[in-house]
Coordinates of all heavy atoms in Angstrom, one line a residue:
M1345 N 24.6 -31.8 21.8 CA 23.4 -32.3 21.2 C 22.6 -31.2 20.6 O 22.6 -30.1 21.1 CB 22.5 -32.9 22.3 CG 23.1 -34.2 22.9 SD 22.1 -34.9 24.2 CE 21.2 -36.1 23.2
K1346 N 21.9 -31.5 19.5 CA 21.1 -30.6 18.8 C 19.7 -31.2 18.6 O 19.5 -32.4 18.5 CB 21.7 -30.0 17.5 CG 21.7 -31.0 16.4 CD 22.1 -30.4 15.1 CE 21.8 -31.4 14.0 NZ 21.1 -30.7 12.8
E1347 N 18.7 -30.3 18.5 CA 17.4 -30.8 18.3 C 17.2 -31.3 16.9 O 17.8 -30.7 15.9 CB 16.5 -29.6 18.5 CG 15.0 -30.0 18.7 CD 14.2 -28.9 19.2 OE1 14.7 -28.1 20.1 OE2 13.0 -28.7 18.7
L1348 N 16.5 -32.4 16.8 CA 16.3 -33.0 15.4 C 15.3 -32.2 14.7 O 14.3 -31.6 15.2 CB 15.8 -34.4 15.6 CG 16.8 -35.4 16.1 CD1 16.1 -36.8 16.3 CD2 18.0 -35.5 15.2
E1349 N 15.5 -32.1 13.4 CA 14.5 -31.4 12.5 C 13.4 -32.3 12.2 O 13.4 -33.5 12.3 CB 15.2 -31.0 11.2 CG 16.5 -30.2 11.4 CD 16.4 -28.8 10.9 OE1 15.4 -28.5 10.1 OE2 17.2 -28.0 11.2
K1350 N 12.3 -31.8 11.7 CA 11.1 -32.6 11.4 C 11.4 -33.6 10.4 O 11.0 -34.8 10.5 CB 10.0 -31.6 10.9 CG 8.7 -32.4 10.6 CD 7.5 -31.5 10.2 CE 6.3 -32.2 10.0 NZ 5.2 -31.4 9.6
S1351 N 12.2 -33.3 9.3 CA 12.5 -34.3 8.3 C 13.4 -35.4 8.8 O 13.2 -36.6 8.5 CB 13.3 -33.6 7.1 OG 14.5 -33.1 7.6
E1352 N 14.2 -35.1 9.8 CA 15.0 -36.2 10.5 C 14.2 -37.1 11.3 O 14.3 -38.3 11.4 CB 16.1 -35.5 11.3 CG 17.2 -34.8 10.5 CD 18.1 -34.0 11.4 OE1 17.7 -33.3 12.4 OE2 19.3 -34.0 11.1
L1353 N 13.2 -36.5 12.0 CA 12.3 -37.2 12.8 C 11.4 -38.2 12.0 O 11.2 -39.4 12.3 CB 11.4 -36.3 13.7 CG 12.0 -35.6 14.9 CD1 11.1 -34.6 15.4 CD2 12.4 -36.6 15.9
M1354 N 11.0 -37.6 10.9 CA 10.2 -38.5 10.0 C 11.0 -39.6 9.4 O 10.5 -40.8 9.3 CB 9.6 -37.6 8.9 CG 8.5 -36.7 9.4 SD 7.7 -35.8 8.1 CE 6.7 -37.1 7.3
A1355 N 12.3 -39.4 9.1 CA 13.1 -40.5 8.6 C 13.3 -41.5 9.7 O 13.3 -42.7 9.4 CB 14.5 -39.9 8.1
I1356 N 13.5 -41.1 10.9 CA 13.8 -42.0 12.0 C 12.5 -42.9 12.3 O 12.6 -44.1 12.6 CB 14.3 -41.3 13.3 CG1 15.7 -40.7 13.0 CG2 14.2 -42.2 14.5 CD1 16.2 -39.8 14.1
N1357 N 11.4 -42.2 12.3 CA 10.1 -42.8 12.7 C 9.4 -43.5 11.5 O 8.3 -43.9 11.6 CB 9.2 -41.8 13.3 CG 9.6 -41.4 14.7 OD1 10.3 -42.1 15.4 ND2 9.3 -40.1 14.9
G1358 N 10.0 -43.6 10.4 CA 9.4 -44.2 9.2 C 8.4 -43.4 8.6 O 7.5 -44.0 8.0
G1359 N 8.4 -42.1 8.7 CA 7.4 -41.3 8.0 C 6.2 -41.0 8.9 O 5.4 -40.1 8.6
A1360 N 6.0 -41.7 10.0 CA 4.9 -41.5 10.9 C 5.3 -40.6 12.0 O 6.5 -40.7 12.5 CB 4.3 -42.8 11.4
N1361 N 4.5 -39.8 12.5 CA 4.8 -39.0 13.7 C 4.7 -39.8 14.9 O 4.0 -40.8 15.0 CB 4.0 -37.8 13.6 CG 3.1 -37.4 14.8 OD1 3.1 -38.0 15.8 ND2 2.2 -36.5 14.5
L1362 N 5.6 -39.6 15.9 CA 5.7 -40.4 17.1 C 4.3 -40.6 17.8 O 4.0 -41.6 18.3 CB 6.8 -39.9 18.1 CG 7.1 -40.7 19.3 CD1 7.5 -42.1 18.9 CD2 8.1 -40.0 20.1
G1363 N 3.6 -39.5 17.9 CA 2.3 -39.5 18.6 C 1.4 -40.6 17.9 O 0.6 -41.3 18.6
T1364 N 1.4 -40.8 16.6 CA 0.6 -41.7 15.9 C 1.0 -43.1 16.3 O 0.2 -43.9 16.5 CB 0.8 -41.5 14.4 OG1 0.4 -40.2 14.0 CG2 -0.1 -42.5 13.6
K1365 N 2.3 -43.3 16.4 CA 2.7 -44.7 16.8 C 2.3 -45.0 18.2 O 2.0 -46.1 18.5 CB 4.3 -44.8 16.6 CG 4.7 -44.9 15.2 CD 6.2 -45.2 15.1 CE 6.6 -45.4 13.7 NZ 7.9 -45.9 13.5
V1366 N 2.4 -44.0 19.1 CA 2.1 -44.2 20.5 C 0.5 -44.5 20.6 O 0.1 -45.4 21.3 CB 2.4 -43.0 21.3 CG1 1.8 -43.1 22.7 CG2 3.9 -42.8 21.4
I1367 N -0.3 -43.8 19.8 CA -1.7 -44.0 19.8 C -2.0 -45.4 19.3 O -2.8 -46.2 19.8 CB -2.4 -42.9 19.0 CG1 -2.4 -41.6 19.7 CG2 -3.9 -43.3 18.7 CD1 -2.8 -40.4 18.9
K1368 N -1.4 -45.8 18.2 CA -1.6 -47.1 17.7 C -1.2 -48.2 18.6 O -1.9 -49.2 18.8 CB -0.9 -47.3 16.3 CG -1.5 -46.6 15.1 CD -0.8 -46.8 13.9 CE -1.3 -46.0 12.7 NZ -0.6 -46.2 11.5
G1369 N 0.0 -48.1 19.2 CA 0.5 -49.0 20.2 C -0.4 -49.1 21.5 O -0.7 -50.1 22.0
G1370 N -0.9 -47.9 21.8 CA -1.9 -47.8 23.0 C -3.2 -48.6 22.7 O -3.7 -49.2 23.6
F1371 N -3.7 -48.4 21.4 CA -4.8 -49.1 21.0 C -4.7 -50.6 21.2 O -5.5 -51.3 21.7 CB -5.2 -48.7 19.6 CG -6.3 -49.5 18.9 CD1 -7.7 -49.2 19.4 CD2 -6.1 -50.6 18.1 CE1 -8.6 -50.0 18.9 CE2 -7.2 -51.3 17.6 CZ -8.4 -51.0 17.9
W1372 N -3.6 -51.2 20.7 CA -3.4 -52.6 20.7 C -3.1 -53.0 22.2 O -3.5 -54.1 22.5 CB -2.2 -53.0 19.8 CG -2.7 -53.0 18.4 CD1 -2.1 -52.1 17.5 CD2 -3.7 -53.7 17.7 NE1 -2.8 -52.3 16.2 CE2 -3.8 -53.2 16.4 CE3 -4.6 -54.7 18.1 CZ2 -4.7 -53.7 15.5 CZ3 -5.5 -55.2 17.2 CH2 -5.5 -54.7 15.9
G1373 N -2.6 -52.2 23.0 CA -2.4 -52.4 24.4 C -3.7 -52.6 25.1 O -3.9 -53.4 26.0
V1374 N -4.6 -51.7 24.8 CA -5.9 -51.7 25.4 C -6.6 -53.0 25.0 O -7.3 -53.7 25.9 CB -6.8 -50.5 25.0 CG1 -8.2 -50.7 25.4 CG2 -6.2 -49.2 25.6
I1375 N -6.6 -53.4 23.7 CA -7.2 -54.6 23.3 C -6.6 -55.9 24.0 O -7.3 -56.7 24.5 CB -7.0 -54.8 21.7 CG1 -7.7 -53.7 21.0 CG2 -7.5 -56.2 21.3 CD1 -9.2 -53.7 21.1
A1376 N -5.3 -55.9 24.1 CA -4.6 -57.0 24.8 C -5.0 -57.1 26.2 O -5.3 -58.1 26.8 CB -3.1 -56.9 24.6
A1377 N -5.1 -55.9 26.9 CA -5.4 -55.9 28.3 C -6.8 -56.4 28.5 O -7.2 -57.1 29.5 CB -5.3 -54.5 28.9
A1378 N -7.8 -56.1 27.6 CA -9.2 -56.5 27.7 C -9.2 -58.0 27.5 O -10.0 -58.7 28.2 CB -10.0 -55.8 26.7
I1379 N -8.5 -58.5 26.6 CA -8.5 -60.0 26.4 C -8.0 -60.7 27.6 O -8.5 -61.7 28.0 CB -7.7 -60.3 25.1 CG1 -8.5 -59.8 23.9 CG2 -7.4 -61.9 25.0 CD1 -7.7 -60.0 22.6
I1380 N -6.9 -60.2 28.1 CA -6.3 -60.8 29.3 C -7.2 -60.7 30.5 O -7.4 -61.7 31.3 CB -4.9 -60.2 29.7 CG1 -3.9 -60.5 28.6 CG2 -4.4 -60.6 31.0 CD1 -2.6 -59.7 28.6
E1381 N -7.8 -59.6 30.6 CA -8.7 -59.4 31.8 C -10.0 -60.3 31.7 O -10.4 -60.8 32.8 CB -9.2 -58.0 31.8 CG -10.1 -57.6 33.1 CD -10.4 -56.1 33.1 OE1 -9.7 -55.3 32.5 OE2 -11.5 -55.8 33.7
H1382 N -10.4 -60.6 30.5 CA -11.6 -61.4 30.3 C -11.3 -62.8 29.7 O -12.1 -63.3 28.9 CB -12.6 -60.7 29.5 CG -13.1 -59.4 30.0 ND1 -13.9 -59.3 31.2 CD2 -12.7 -58.1 29.7 CE1 -14.1 -58.0 31.5 NE2 -13.4 -57.3 30.7
W1383 N -10.1 -63.3 30.0 CA -9.7 -64.5 29.3 C -10.6 -65.7 29.4 O -10.8 -66.4 28.5 CB -8.2 -64.9 29.8 CG -7.7 -66.2 29.1 CD1 -7.5 -67.3 29.7 CD2 -7.6 -66.3 27.7 NE1 -7.1 -68.2 28.7 CE2 -7.1 -67.6 27.5 CE3 -7.7 -65.6 26.6 CZ2 -6.8 -68.2 26.2 CZ3 -7.5 -66.1 25.3 CH2 -7.0 -67.4 25.2
T1384 N -11.2 -65.9 30.6 CA -12.1 -67.1 30.7 C -13.3 -67.0 29.8 O -13.6 -68.0 29.2 CB -12.5 -67.2 32.2 OG1 -13.2 -66.0 32.6 CG2 -11.4 -67.6 33.1
E1385 N -13.8 -65.8 29.6 CA -15.0 -65.6 28.7 C -14.5 -65.8 27.3 O -15.2 -66.4 26.4 CB -15.6 -64.3 28.9 CG -16.4 -64.1 30.3 CD -15.4 -63.5 31.3 OE1 -14.2 -63.3 31.0 OE2 -16.0 -63.3 32.4
V1386 N -13.4 -65.2 27.0 CA -12.8 -65.3 25.6 C -12.5 -66.8 25.2 O -13.0 -67.3 24.2 CB -11.5 -64.5 25.5 CG1 -10.9 -64.8 24.1 CG2 -11.8 -63.0 25.6
K1387 N -11.9 -67.5 26.1 CA -11.6 -68.9 25.9 C -12.9 -69.7 25.8 O -13.0 -70.6 24.9 CB -10.8 -69.5 27.1 CG -10.2 -70.9 26.9 CD -9.3 -71.3 27.9 CE -9.9 -71.5 29.2 NZ -9.1 -72.1 30.2
S1388 N -13.8 -69.5 26.6 CA -15.1 -70.2 26.5 C -15.8 -69.9 25.2 O -16.4 -70.8 24.6 CB -16.1 -69.7 27.6 OG -17.3 -70.3 27.5
G1389 N -15.8 -68.7 24.7 CA -16.3 -68.3 23.4 C -15.6 -69.0 22.3 O -16.3 -69.5 21.3
I1390 N -14.3 -69.1 22.3 CA -13.6 -69.8 21.3 C -13.9 -71.3 21.3 O -14.2 -71.8 20.2 CB -12.0 -69.6 21.5 CG1 -11.7 -68.1 21.3 CG2 -11.2 -70.5 20.6 CD1 -10.3 -67.8 21.7
I1391 N -14.0 -71.9 22.4 CA -14.3 -73.3 22.5 C -15.8 -73.6 22.0 O -16.0 -74.5 21.2 CB -14.1 -73.8 23.9 CG1 -12.6 -73.8 24.3 CG2 -14.8 -75.2 24.1 CD1 -12.4 -74.1 25.8
D1392 N -16.7 -72.8 22.4 CA -18.1 -72.9 21.9 C -18.1 -72.7 20.4 O -18.8 -73.5 19.7 CB -19.0 -71.9 22.5 CG -19.2 -72.2 24.0 OD1 -19.0 -73.3 24.5 OD2 -19.7 -71.3 24.8
G1393 N -17.4 -71.7 19.9 CA -17.4 -71.5 18.4 C -16.8 -72.7 17.7 O -17.3 -73.1 16.6
W1394 N -15.7 -73.2 18.3 CA -15.1 -74.4 17.6 C -16.0 -75.6 17.6 O -16.1 -76.3 16.6 CB -13.8 -74.8 18.4 CG -13.1 -76.0 17.9 CD1 -13.3 -77.2 18.3 CD2 -12.1 -76.0 16.8 NE1 -12.4 -78.1 17.6 CE2 -11.7 -77.4 16.6 CE3 -11.6 -75.0 16.0 CZ2 -10.8 -77.7 15.7 CZ3 -10.6 -75.4 15.1 CH2 -10.3 -76.7 14.9
N1395 N -16.6 -75.8 18.7 CA -17.6 -77.0 18.9 C -18.8 -76.8 17.9 O -19.2 -77.8 17.3 CB -18.1 -77.2 20.3 CG -17.0 -77.6 21.2 OD1 -16.0 -78.3 20.8 ND2 -17.1 -77.4 22.5
D1396 N -19.3 -75.6 17.8 CA -20.4 -75.4 16.8 C -19.9 -75.6 15.4 O -20.7 -76.2 14.6 CB -20.9 -74.0 17.0 CG -21.7 -73.8 18.3 OD1 -22.1 -74.9 18.9 OD2 -22.0 -72.6 18.6
A1397 N -18.8 -75.2 15.1 CA -18.3 -75.3 13.7 C -18.0 -76.8 13.4 O -18.2 -77.2 12.3 CB -17.0 -74.5 13.5
M1398 N -17.6 -77.5 14.3 CA -17.2 -79.0 14.1 C -18.5 -79.9 14.1 O -18.5 -80.9 13.5 CB -16.3 -79.5 15.2 CG -14.9 -78.9 15.1 SD -14.1 -79.4 13.5 CE -13.7 -77.8 12.9
A1399 N -19.6 -79.3 14.7 CA -20.8 -80.1 14.8 C -21.6 -80.1 13.4 O -22.4 -80.9 13.1 CB -21.8 -79.5 15.8
D1400 N -21.4 -79.0 12.6 CA -22.0 -78.9 11.4 C -21.5 -79.8 10.3 O -20.6 -80.2 10.0 CB -22.0 -77.4 10.8 CG -22.9 -76.5 11.7 OD1 -23.8 -77.0 12.4 OD2 -22.6 -75.3 11.8

């Protein structure tokens, strides 16, 4: 096995560095965890918004 060069890593990762992908993935993971943790409030807000929109 040999270590990959920077150009090979960029080709494999689609031009983005792996740290950037991890940070972006971590960001969406945090958002998803927050939604899951507060699902009852989120669902209530969606329902209230829907009802308000339909009442107009």
Side-chain angles (χ1 to χ4, degrees):
M1345 293 178 96
K1346 72 172 192 134
E1347 196 169 321
L1348 295 175
E1349 307 244 345
K1350 185 176 181 177
S1351 61
E1352 293 171 320
L1353 287 171
M1354 289 184 72
I1356 291 170
N1357 292 327
N1361 118 13
L1362 184 58
T1364 304
K1365 287 189 173 190
V1366 170
I1367 290 170
K1368 287 180 183 177
F1371 172 75
W1372 289 114
V1374 168
I1375 298 295
I1379 290 172
I1380 291 168
E1381 184 176 336
H1382 301 287
W1383 178 243
T1384 55
E1385 293 90 356
V1386 171
K1387 186 172 72 172
S1388 174
I1390 292 170
I1391 291 170
D1392 290 344
W1394 178 268
N1395 289 337
D1396 288 346
M1398 292 297 123
D1400 291 337

